[in-house]
Amino acid sequence: MTSLLQVKGVTGGYSASHPVIEDVSFEVREKEIVALIGLNGAGKSTTIKHILGLLEPHAGEISIAGKTFAADPDSYRHAYGYIPESPIYYEELTLWEHLELAAMSRGLDKAVFEERAYPLLREFRMEEARDRFPRQFSKGMRQKLMIMMALMVRPGLYIVDEPILGLDPLGIRTLLSWLARCKEQGAGILMSTHILATAEKYCDRFIILHKGRIKAQGTLEELRQLTGEPDLSLDDIYLRMVEEA
């Protein structure tokens, strides 16, 4: 399968003298969901900020669809969709106007926009909130807004940071169903999460980040082989690896 995201030997953070992540390497390919897991402070958010182009690596290289941020920032940004952990929105725009803005940013015409927008509103149960402002929303509704904006543009790569936090059970099921659908249609998805049972069920590979370095990565079976325990859950594997570290 084609590699969509390549992270090669990346060391980085906010200070060159005190890197948060060191020599991090992994990839995300077409038609797969990859979980990025680690304790608080392990470097997950820093890794994601480097991928988004918000931080410049001190060493190493990141490319999306063969493009680096330094070489072509616009094409690089258009190659991914981002669902943040904390919703980011415009106070003066309604939900519908946020979706229109997302569509305009990628050059979608009105017919394509409406064809995509109405199913999203319906499946995320946000039809009644269409013309309301985000300040009137609950945290979960704001999170759904971020999710719908990313799904609207249908990029080749999704960067998803703790997407389940704040969602109700129906919202979680709808999101995971959409991500599975995007995967089947050829997208690659990098998902940072603390909910390991969900990651085990929906993700194809796992990256365990610990103290800024990759402790292990691979499929569930490959991680089980590393521990020598063929029946361990992802949760048990993860706890064993970080406690040993």
Side-chain angles (χ1 to χ4, degrees):
M1 289 184 288
T2 302
S3 179
L4 297 172
L5 168 66
Q6 290 190 325
V7 179
K8 299 178 181 178
V10 169
T11 294
Y14 302 93
S15 167
S17 59
H18 295 89
V20 177
I21 56 174
E22 297 185 66
D23 196 26
V24 169
S25 297
F26 63 87
E27 67 174 350
V28 177
R29 300 186 290 262
E30 291 180 340
K31 293 191 173 184
E32 71 170 358
I33 303 177
V34 178
L36 181 63
I37 57 180
L39 299 173
N40 292 333
K44 301 188 303 300
S45 293
T46 301
T47 300
I48 287 174
K49 286 177 181 177
H50 279 289
I51 294 170
L52 297 177
L54 300 177
L55 292 175
E56 184 177 352
H58 307 152
E61 183 179 83
I62 300 170
S63 62
I64 298 178
K67 301 179 177 68
T68 65
F69 181 81
D72 191 345
D74 289 338
S75 296
Y76 183 95
R77 289 194 185 99
H78 284 177
Y80 68 77
Y82 174 50
I83 302 174
E85 177 182 1
S86 299
I88 304 166
Y89 53 87
Y90 296 96
E91 292 279 1
E92 67 276 14
L93 297 182
T94 65
L95 184 157
W96 186 256
E97 288 168 338
H98 276 88
L99 295 180
E100 286 182 317
L101 180 64
M104 289 171 57
S105 73
R106 301 301 174 92
L108 302 182
D109 64 35
K110 183 179 179 181
V112 172
F113 162 65
E114 293 184 350
E115 179 184 347
R116 296 180 183 182
Y118 286 114
L120 286 168
L121 287 174
R122 183 174 61 253
E123 293 193 36
F124 281 96
R125 296 167 177 81
M126 294 286 281
E127 290 171 297
E128 294 183 2
R130 167 188 156 149
D131 297 316
R132 291 165 55 191
F133 295 93
R135 63 176 175 272
Q136 301 170 307
F137 294 173
S138 67
K139 184 184 180 207
M141 292 172 72
R142 291 171 184 164
Q143 187 67 3
K144 288 179 181 180
L145 170 59
M146 296 294 97
I147 292 166
M148 289 190 292
M149 289 178 70
L151 293 173
M152 164 69 63
V153 300
R154 298 187 184 178
L157 174 71
Y158 290 89
I159 310 297
V160 186
D161 191 2
E162 296 291 352
I164 292 172
L165 297 180
L167 292 181
D168 56 50
L170 288 176
I172 292 171
R173 185 179 68 180
T174 301
L175 169 62
L176 293 172
S177 295
W178 269 89
L179 292 179
R181 197 179 312 167
C182 293
K183 167 189 160 179
E184 291 305 312
Q185 293 171 349
I189 300 156
L190 177 66
M191 181 169 68
S192 169
T193 182
H194 283 109
I195 314 300
L196 300 191
T198 300
E200 181 173 340
K201 183 176 180 180
Y202 286 92
C203 297
D204 302 289
R205 291 191 296 114
F206 311 91
I207 302 164
I208 298 177
L209 196 62
H210 187 64
K211 295 184 178 179
R213 292 182 175 271
I214 292 181
K215 180 70 176 173
Q217 62 177 306
T219 65
L220 184 59
E221 289 306 315
E222 289 168 341
L223 295 180
R224 283 171 172 165
Q225 289 174 15
L226 286 175
T227 64
E229 297 283 352
D231 300 317
L232 287 182
S233 67
L234 178 63
D235 195 51
D236 290 334
I237 292 170
Y238 170 71
L239 290 174
R240 179 171 296 191
M241 286 189 174
V242 298
E243 285 172 352
E244 287 176 354

